[in-house]
Amino acid sequence: MGDFIDLWTGKLVGIAGGVIDEKQARALVAEIYEAAVVRGVRLYEEEIALREAEREE
């Protein structure tokens, strides 16, 4: 996770052209990363529930 956040923090700071600083970019990237993880877990749980329901039929 650290490498991902470091990489995208640097890219975001570069793209933003001084509009946001490294601390702000790091916080934003970390928030996006965590949201993606939560979404991935939710989708996985939904898939498991669907498979279990199909098995019970």
Side-chain angles (χ1 to χ4, degrees), residues 28-50:
L28 181 58
V29 171
E31 186 175 335
I32 292 168
Y33 182 87
E34 288 180 29
V37 168
V38 169
R39 182 173 186 267
V41 168
R42 183 178 49 80
L43 291 173
Y44 174 77
E45 289 173 343
E46 289 174 1
E47 180 67 24
I48 296 298
L50 180 62

Side-chain angles (χ1 to χ4, degrees), residues 1-23:
M1 175 173 107
D3 292 341
F4 177 88
I5 291 177
D6 290 342
L7 174 70
W8 284 98
T9 295
K11 287 184 179 194
L12 184 56
V13 168
I15 292 169
V19 175
I20 61 173
D21 63 20
E22 185 175 343
K23 183 178 177 182

